[in-house]
Amino acid sequence: YGYYSPNREGKLRSSSRGGKMTIKLWLPLPPSVNSMYKPTRKGVRLSKHARLYKERVGWYVNRLEPLAGHLEVIVHINAHNKSRDIDNCLKLLLDSIEKFAYLNDRQVARIHAHMYHDKASDEGVYVEIDEIRPMLNAIHSLDSTQYGIVED
């Protein structure tokens, strides 16, 4: 996987493998969750910075046909700031591509996230979204004694 670079920003590609669709995106690094919300008299709302990020990402991905079904999302984040948390980046990123790459974030069954701090490469996010088969009855196939679940 490569890293984000200015000449790739907003590039997207979708392809089909065996009838299942894949979407690949190069996107800018989202703002931190710490700067994502702003308190107001009417409650908490998205900050101007977060709204601008969502608008910018929406402009890049508005040509996509949303995927249906269960999805796996693979995210590679390159952030120069080592104090950035991996989960801090995911919330706004996934909210920003909802309605464009997929209909609802409830479709996301698996997330794989990788964080890098490579100052030799530009900051940014590579996102790959794949349609997957649903894991039917997966919870029922687990051996409950293996996980310390006690049944009376």
Side-chain angles (χ1 to χ4, degrees):
Y1 294 104
Y3 293 118
Y4 160 86
S5 69
N7 61 347
R8 294 184 187 170
E9 183 174 317
K11 286 208 173 176
L12 57 98
R13 185 173 64 203
S14 62
S15 61
S16 178
R17 286 182 287 180
K20 299 209 181 287
M21 289 298 296
T22 297
I23 294 174
K24 298 177 182 180
L25 305 166
W26 287 99
L27 298 170
L29 189 67
S32 168
V33 169
N34 299 330
S35 64
M36 190 169 132
Y37 296 105
K38 176 183 173 185
T40 66
R41 288 185 300 220
K42 296 181 180 183
V44 178
R45 56 180 269 185
L46 279 179
S47 69
K48 181 178 180 181
H49 194 55
R51 285 193 318 274
L52 288 173
Y53 179 81
K54 285 182 78 167
E55 182 180 308
R56 183 177 182 189
V57 169
W59 184 81
Y60 292 142
V61 298
N62 67 7
R63 302 181 303 274
L64 291 173
E65 184 72 31
L67 297 176
H70 293 80
L71 304 173
E72 174 181 52
V73 178
I74 302 166
V75 181
H76 292 267
I77 303 162
N78 188 34
H80 294 172
N81 183 347
K82 289 187 178 186
S83 66
R84 278 302 279 271
D85 292 337
I86 195 167
D87 58 330
N88 246 346
C89 295
L90 293 176
K91 174 69 175 150
L92 187 58
L93 173 69
L94 296 176
D95 285 351
S96 297
I97 60 176
E98 185 178 23
K99 306 289 186 250
F100 299 105
Y102 45 84
L103 300 171
N104 192 297
D105 57 7
R106 283 179 268 159
Q107 293 174 251
V108 178
R110 288 192 296 244
I111 298 175
H112 300 275
H114 308 271
M115 176 75 85
Y116 308 95
H117 302 289
D118 182 2
K119 290 191 177 188
S121 297
D122 294 318
E123 287 189 310
V125 182
Y126 171 77
V127 182
E128 184 174 324
I129 306 162
D130 296 306
E131 288 183 322
I132 59 172
R133 288 194 327 241
M135 297 174 24
L136 298 175
N137 298 321
I139 195 70
H140 300 295
S141 66
L142 295 176
D143 178 5
S144 62
T145 58
Q146 179 182 358
Y147 298 97
I149 300 170
V150 180
E151 297 179 8
D152 290 333

Short mmCIF file of all heavy atoms in Angstrom, two decimals, residues 8-51:
data_model
loop_
_atom_site.label_atom_id
_atom_site.label_comp_id
_atom_site.label_asym_id
_atom_site.label_seq_id
_atom_site.Cartn_x
_atom_site.Cartn_y
_atom_site.Cartn_z
N ARG A 8 -2.31 12.56 -5.53
CA ARG A 8 -3.27 11.46 -5.47
C ARG A 8 -4.53 11.84 -4.72
O ARG A 8 -5.49 11.10 -4.72
CB ARG A 8 -2.66 10.28 -4.74
CG ARG A 8 -1.51 9.65 -5.46
CD ARG A 8 -1.08 8.45 -4.68
NE ARG A 8 0.14 7.90 -5.25
CZ ARG A 8 0.85 6.97 -4.68
NH1 ARG A 8 0.48 6.49 -3.51
NH2 ARG A 8 1.92 6.51 -5.23
N GLU A 9 -4.54 12.96 -4.02
CA GLU A 9 -5.65 13.32 -3.16
C GLU A 9 -6.98 13.27 -3.90
O GLU A 9 -7.13 13.82 -4.98
CB GLU A 9 -5.46 14.72 -2.59
CG GLU A 9 -6.54 15.12 -1.62
CD GLU A 9 -6.22 16.45 -0.98
OE1 GLU A 9 -5.07 16.67 -0.60
OE2 GLU A 9 -7.14 17.25 -0.87
N GLY A 10 -7.92 12.57 -3.31
CA GLY A 10 -9.24 12.49 -3.88
C GLY A 10 -9.38 11.47 -4.99
O GLY A 10 -10.46 11.28 -5.51
N LYS A 11 -8.31 10.79 -5.35
CA LYS A 11 -8.42 9.78 -6.40
C LYS A 11 -9.21 8.60 -5.86
O LYS A 11 -9.08 8.21 -4.72
CB LYS A 11 -7.04 9.33 -6.86
CG LYS A 11 -6.36 10.37 -7.71
CD LYS A 11 -5.41 9.74 -8.66
CE LYS A 11 -4.90 10.81 -9.60
NZ LYS A 11 -3.90 10.34 -10.49
N LEU A 12 -10.03 8.05 -6.72
CA LEU A 12 -10.79 6.88 -6.32
C LEU A 12 -10.86 5.91 -7.46
O LEU A 12 -10.71 6.26 -8.62
CB LEU A 12 -12.19 7.28 -5.85
CG LEU A 12 -13.07 8.06 -6.82
CD1 LEU A 12 -14.02 7.12 -7.53
CD2 LEU A 12 -13.84 9.09 -6.03
N ARG A 13 -11.07 4.67 -7.08
CA ARG A 13 -11.16 3.61 -8.08
C ARG A 13 -12.09 2.56 -7.54
O ARG A 13 -12.06 2.23 -6.35
CB ARG A 13 -9.77 3.04 -8.33
CG ARG A 13 -9.73 2.02 -9.45
CD ARG A 13 -8.32 1.63 -9.77
NE ARG A 13 -7.74 0.95 -8.62
CZ ARG A 13 -6.44 0.86 -8.41
NH1 ARG A 13 -5.60 1.42 -9.21
NH2 ARG A 13 -5.99 0.23 -7.37
N SER A 14 -12.95 2.03 -8.36
CA SER A 14 -13.78 0.91 -7.95
C SER A 14 -13.58 -0.20 -8.97
O SER A 14 -13.36 0.05 -10.15
CB SER A 14 -15.25 1.31 -7.83
OG SER A 14 -15.75 1.74 -9.06
N SER A 15 -13.62 -1.42 -8.50
CA SER A 15 -13.42 -2.56 -9.38
C SER A 15 -14.26 -3.72 -8.87
O SER A 15 -14.78 -3.69 -7.76
CB SER A 15 -11.94 -2.95 -9.42
OG SER A 15 -11.49 -3.31 -8.13
N SER A 16 -14.38 -4.71 -9.69
CA SER A 16 -15.18 -5.88 -9.34
C SER A 16 -14.29 -7.12 -9.42
O SER A 16 -13.60 -7.33 -10.40
CB SER A 16 -16.36 -6.02 -10.30
OG SER A 16 -17.10 -7.16 -9.99
N ARG A 17 -14.31 -7.90 -8.34
CA ARG A 17 -13.59 -9.17 -8.32
C ARG A 17 -14.58 -10.26 -7.95
O ARG A 17 -15.12 -10.25 -6.85
CB ARG A 17 -12.46 -9.15 -7.28
CG ARG A 17 -11.27 -8.33 -7.70
CD ARG A 17 -10.21 -8.40 -6.66
NE ARG A 17 -10.68 -7.59 -5.52
CZ ARG A 17 -10.01 -7.42 -4.41
NH1 ARG A 17 -8.85 -7.98 -4.24
NH2 ARG A 17 -10.49 -6.68 -3.43
N GLY A 18 -14.83 -11.17 -8.86
CA GLY A 18 -15.75 -12.26 -8.58
C GLY A 18 -17.14 -11.78 -8.23
O GLY A 18 -17.82 -12.38 -7.40
N GLY A 19 -17.58 -10.68 -8.83
CA GLY A 19 -18.91 -10.16 -8.57
C GLY A 19 -19.00 -9.27 -7.35
O GLY A 19 -20.02 -8.65 -7.09
N LYS A 20 -17.93 -9.17 -6.56
CA LYS A 20 -17.92 -8.31 -5.38
C LYS A 20 -17.17 -7.03 -5.71
O LYS A 20 -16.12 -7.06 -6.33
CB LYS A 20 -17.27 -9.04 -4.21
CG LYS A 20 -18.01 -10.31 -3.84
CD LYS A 20 -17.83 -10.59 -2.38
CE LYS A 20 -18.52 -11.86 -1.97
NZ LYS A 20 -19.94 -11.79 -1.92
N MET A 21 -17.72 -5.92 -5.27
CA MET A 21 -17.12 -4.61 -5.58
C MET A 21 -16.09 -4.21 -4.53
O MET A 21 -16.21 -4.55 -3.36
CB MET A 21 -18.20 -3.55 -5.64
CG MET A 21 -19.11 -3.66 -6.85
SD MET A 21 -18.26 -3.47 -8.42
CE MET A 21 -17.68 -1.78 -8.31
N THR A 22 -15.10 -3.44 -4.98
CA THR A 22 -14.08 -2.87 -4.13
C THR A 22 -13.95 -1.39 -4.48
O THR A 22 -13.93 -1.04 -5.65
CB THR A 22 -12.72 -3.56 -4.34
OG1 THR A 22 -12.85 -4.93 -3.96
CG2 THR A 22 -11.63 -2.91 -3.51
N ILE A 23 -13.86 -0.56 -3.45
CA ILE A 23 -13.62 0.87 -3.65
C ILE A 23 -12.30 1.22 -2.98
O ILE A 23 -12.05 0.81 -1.84
CB ILE A 23 -14.76 1.72 -3.04
CG1 ILE A 23 -16.06 1.48 -3.79
CG2 ILE A 23 -14.39 3.20 -3.05
CD1 ILE A 23 -17.26 2.16 -3.16
N LYS A 24 -11.44 1.97 -3.69
CA LYS A 24 -10.16 2.40 -3.15
C LYS A 24 -10.10 3.91 -3.21
O LYS A 24 -10.39 4.50 -4.25
CB LYS A 24 -9.01 1.78 -3.93
CG LYS A 24 -8.99 0.27 -3.85
CD LYS A 24 -7.91 -0.34 -4.69
CE LYS A 24 -7.98 -1.85 -4.60
NZ LYS A 24 -6.94 -2.49 -5.40
N LEU A 25 -9.72 4.54 -2.09
CA LEU A 25 -9.70 5.99 -1.99
C LEU A 25 -8.39 6.50 -1.41
O LEU A 25 -7.85 5.89 -0.49
CB LEU A 25 -10.83 6.47 -1.05
CG LEU A 25 -12.25 6.03 -1.36
CD1 LEU A 25 -13.14 6.29 -0.16
CD2 LEU A 25 -12.76 6.76 -2.56
N TRP A 26 -7.90 7.61 -1.91
CA TRP A 26 -6.82 8.38 -1.30
C TRP A 26 -7.45 9.65 -0.77
O TRP A 26 -8.03 10.41 -1.54
CB TRP A 26 -5.76 8.76 -2.32
CG TRP A 26 -4.90 7.62 -2.75
CD1 TRP A 26 -5.03 6.89 -3.88
CD2 TRP A 26 -3.77 7.11 -2.06
NE1 TRP A 26 -4.04 5.94 -3.94
CE2 TRP A 26 -3.26 6.06 -2.83
CE3 TRP A 26 -3.14 7.43 -0.85
CZ2 TRP A 26 -2.14 5.32 -2.45
CZ3 TRP A 26 -2.04 6.71 -0.48
CH2 TRP A 26 -1.54 5.67 -1.26
N LEU A 27 -7.39 9.88 0.53
CA LEU A 27 -8.06 11.03 1.13
C LEU A 27 -7.13 11.80 2.06
O LEU A 27 -6.15 11.24 2.58
CB LEU A 27 -9.29 10.57 1.92
CG LEU A 27 -10.38 9.88 1.09
CD1 LEU A 27 -11.42 9.25 1.99
CD2 LEU A 27 -11.01 10.87 0.12
N PRO A 28 -7.45 13.06 2.31
CA PRO A 28 -6.65 13.83 3.27
C PRO A 28 -6.85 13.31 4.69
O PRO A 28 -7.87 12.67 4.99
CB PRO A 28 -7.18 15.26 3.13
CG PRO A 28 -8.50 15.13 2.47
CD PRO A 28 -8.51 13.86 1.70
N LEU A 29 -5.90 13.59 5.54
CA LEU A 29 -5.98 13.18 6.94
C LEU A 29 -7.11 13.95 7.63
O LEU A 29 -7.18 15.17 7.52
CB LEU A 29 -4.64 13.49 7.62
CG LEU A 29 -4.43 12.96 9.03
CD1 LEU A 29 -4.36 11.44 9.02
CD2 LEU A 29 -3.14 13.53 9.59
N PRO A 30 -8.00 13.24 8.34
CA PRO A 30 -9.09 13.96 9.01
C PRO A 30 -8.59 14.71 10.24
O PRO A 30 -7.57 14.34 10.83
CB PRO A 30 -10.06 12.84 9.42
CG PRO A 30 -9.24 11.61 9.45
CD PRO A 30 -8.11 11.80 8.49
N PRO A 31 -9.32 15.74 10.65
CA PRO A 31 -8.94 16.43 11.89
C PRO A 31 -9.15 15.50 13.08
O PRO A 31 -9.91 14.54 13.01
CB PRO A 31 -9.89 17.63 11.94
CG PRO A 31 -11.00 17.31 11.01
CD PRO A 31 -10.48 16.34 10.01
N SER A 32 -8.49 15.80 14.16
CA SER A 32 -8.60 15.00 15.37
C SER A 32 -10.01 15.09 15.95
O SER A 32 -10.70 16.10 15.80
CB SER A 32 -7.59 15.52 16.40
OG SER A 32 -7.85 14.97 17.66
N VAL A 33 -10.43 14.06 16.65
CA VAL A 33 -11.73 14.07 17.33
C VAL A 33 -11.77 15.21 18.34
O VAL A 33 -12.81 15.81 18.59
CB VAL A 33 -12.01 12.72 18.02
CG1 VAL A 33 -13.20 12.79 18.95
CG2 VAL A 33 -12.24 11.64 16.98
N ASN A 34 -10.61 15.57 18.90
CA ASN A 34 -10.54 16.66 19.87
C ASN A 34 -10.98 17.99 19.27
O ASN A 34 -11.46 18.87 19.99
CB ASN A 34 -9.13 16.79 20.44
CG ASN A 34 -8.70 15.53 21.16
OD1 ASN A 34 -9.53 14.81 21.71
ND2 ASN A 34 -7.41 15.26 21.15
N SER A 35 -10.82 18.15 17.95
CA SER A 35 -11.26 19.40 17.31
C SER A 35 -12.49 19.17 16.43
O SER A 35 -12.86 20.03 15.65
CB SER A 35 -10.13 19.98 16.47
OG SER A 35 -9.81 19.11 15.41
N MET A 36 -13.12 18.02 16.57
CA MET A 36 -14.23 17.66 15.71
C MET A 36 -15.57 18.25 16.17
O MET A 36 -16.43 18.56 15.36
CB MET A 36 -14.35 16.13 15.66
CG MET A 36 -15.30 15.60 14.64
SD MET A 36 -15.05 13.83 14.52
CE MET A 36 -16.72 13.27 14.61
N TYR A 37 -15.73 18.43 17.47
CA TYR A 37 -17.01 18.91 18.00
C TYR A 37 -16.84 20.27 18.67
O TYR A 37 -15.79 20.60 19.18
CB TYR A 37 -17.57 17.90 19.02
CG TYR A 37 -17.90 16.58 18.40
CD1 TYR A 37 -17.09 15.48 18.61
CD2 TYR A 37 -19.01 16.43 17.58
CE1 TYR A 37 -17.39 14.26 18.03
CE2 TYR A 37 -19.31 15.22 17.00
CZ TYR A 37 -18.50 14.13 17.22
OH TYR A 37 -18.79 12.93 16.66
N LYS A 38 -17.94 21.03 18.64
CA LYS A 38 -17.93 22.36 19.23
C LYS A 38 -19.18 22.51 20.10
O LYS A 38 -20.30 22.25 19.62
CB LYS A 38 -17.96 23.39 18.10
CG LYS A 38 -18.05 24.82 18.56
CD LYS A 38 -18.15 25.73 17.35
CE LYS A 38 -18.43 27.14 17.81
NZ LYS A 38 -18.65 28.03 16.69
N PRO A 39 -19.02 22.89 21.35
CA PRO A 39 -20.20 23.10 22.19
C PRO A 39 -20.92 24.39 21.79
O PRO A 39 -20.29 25.39 21.48
CB PRO A 39 -19.63 23.20 23.60
CG PRO A 39 -18.21 23.59 23.43
CD PRO A 39 -17.77 23.10 22.08
N THR A 40 -22.23 24.33 21.76
CA THR A 40 -23.05 25.51 21.47
C THR A 40 -24.15 25.60 22.53
O THR A 40 -24.31 24.68 23.34
CB THR A 40 -23.70 25.42 20.07
OG1 THR A 40 -24.65 24.35 20.07
CG2 THR A 40 -22.67 25.21 18.99
N ARG A 41 -24.93 26.66 22.48
CA ARG A 41 -26.04 26.78 23.43
C ARG A 41 -27.09 25.70 23.21
O ARG A 41 -27.82 25.33 24.12
CB ARG A 41 -26.68 28.15 23.31
CG ARG A 41 -25.82 29.26 23.86
CD ARG A 41 -26.58 30.55 23.81
NE ARG A 41 -26.94 30.84 22.40
CZ ARG A 41 -26.89 32.01 21.85
NH1 ARG A 41 -26.55 33.06 22.55
NH2 ARG A 41 -27.21 32.19 20.59
N LYS A 42 -27.18 25.21 21.99
CA LYS A 42 -28.17 24.19 21.66
C LYS A 42 -27.62 22.76 21.76
O LYS A 42 -28.28 21.83 21.35
CB LYS A 42 -28.71 24.43 20.26
CG LYS A 42 -29.47 25.74 20.14
CD LYS A 42 -30.01 25.91 18.75
CE LYS A 42 -30.77 27.22 18.66
NZ LYS A 42 -31.37 27.40 17.34
N GLY A 43 -26.42 22.61 22.26
CA GLY A 43 -25.80 21.29 22.38
C GLY A 43 -24.48 21.23 21.65
O GLY A 43 -23.88 22.25 21.32
N VAL A 44 -24.03 20.04 21.36
CA VAL A 44 -22.75 19.84 20.69
C VAL A 44 -23.01 19.61 19.21
O VAL A 44 -23.94 18.91 18.83
CB VAL A 44 -22.03 18.62 21.31
CG1 VAL A 44 -20.71 18.36 20.60
CG2 VAL A 44 -21.80 18.82 22.79
N ARG A 45 -22.17 20.22 18.37
CA ARG A 45 -22.29 20.03 16.93
C ARG A 45 -20.91 19.93 16.31
O ARG A 45 -19.90 20.23 16.95
CB ARG A 45 -23.10 21.14 16.29
CG ARG A 45 -22.56 22.52 16.55
CD ARG A 45 -23.37 23.58 15.91
NE ARG A 45 -22.80 23.81 14.59
CZ ARG A 45 -23.19 24.75 13.77
NH1 ARG A 45 -24.17 25.54 14.10
NH2 ARG A 45 -22.63 24.92 12.60
N LEU A 46 -20.86 19.52 15.04
CA LEU A 46 -19.58 19.43 14.34
C LEU A 46 -18.95 20.80 14.23
O LEU A 46 -19.63 21.80 13.97
CB LEU A 46 -19.77 18.87 12.93
CG LEU A 46 -19.89 17.37 12.77
CD1 LEU A 46 -20.10 17.02 11.31
CD2 LEU A 46 -18.70 16.64 13.32
N SER A 47 -17.65 20.85 14.44
CA SER A 47 -16.92 22.11 14.29
C SER A 47 -16.85 22.49 12.81
O SER A 47 -17.09 21.66 11.92
CB SER A 47 -15.50 21.97 14.85
OG SER A 47 -14.75 21.09 14.02
N LYS A 48 -16.50 23.73 12.54
CA LYS A 48 -16.37 24.21 11.17
C LYS A 48 -15.30 23.40 10.44
O LYS A 48 -15.47 23.02 9.28
CB LYS A 48 -16.01 25.69 11.16
CG LYS A 48 -15.88 26.27 9.77
CD LYS A 48 -15.57 27.75 9.80
CE LYS A 48 -15.45 28.29 8.39
NZ LYS A 48 -15.12 29.71 8.38
N HIS A 49 -14.22 23.10 11.14
CA HIS A 49 -13.12 22.32 10.56
C HIS A 49 -13.60 20.93 10.14
O HIS A 49 -13.28 20.45 9.05
CB HIS A 49 -11.98 22.24 11.58
CG HIS A 49 -10.68 21.78 11.04
ND1 HIS A 49 -10.05 22.38 9.96
CD2 HIS A 49 -9.88 20.77 11.42
CE1 HIS A 49 -8.92 21.75 9.72
NE2 HIS A 49 -8.79 20.76 10.58
N ALA A 50 -14.38 20.28 10.99
CA ALA A 50 -14.90 18.95 10.68
C ALA A 50 -15.91 19.00 9.54
O ALA A 50 -15.91 18.13 8.66
CB ALA A 50 -15.53 18.33 11.92
N ARG A 51 -16.77 20.02 9.52
CA ARG A 51 -17.75 20.15 8.44
C ARG A 51 -17.04 20.38 7.10
O ARG A 51 -17.44 19.82 6.07
CB ARG A 51 -18.73 21.29 8.73
CG ARG A 51 -19.75 20.95 9.78
CD ARG A 51 -20.90 21.95 9.85
NE ARG A 51 -20.54 23.35 9.75
CZ ARG A 51 -20.18 24.13 10.77
NH1 ARG A 51 -20.14 23.64 11.99
NH2 ARG A 51 -19.86 25.40 10.58
#
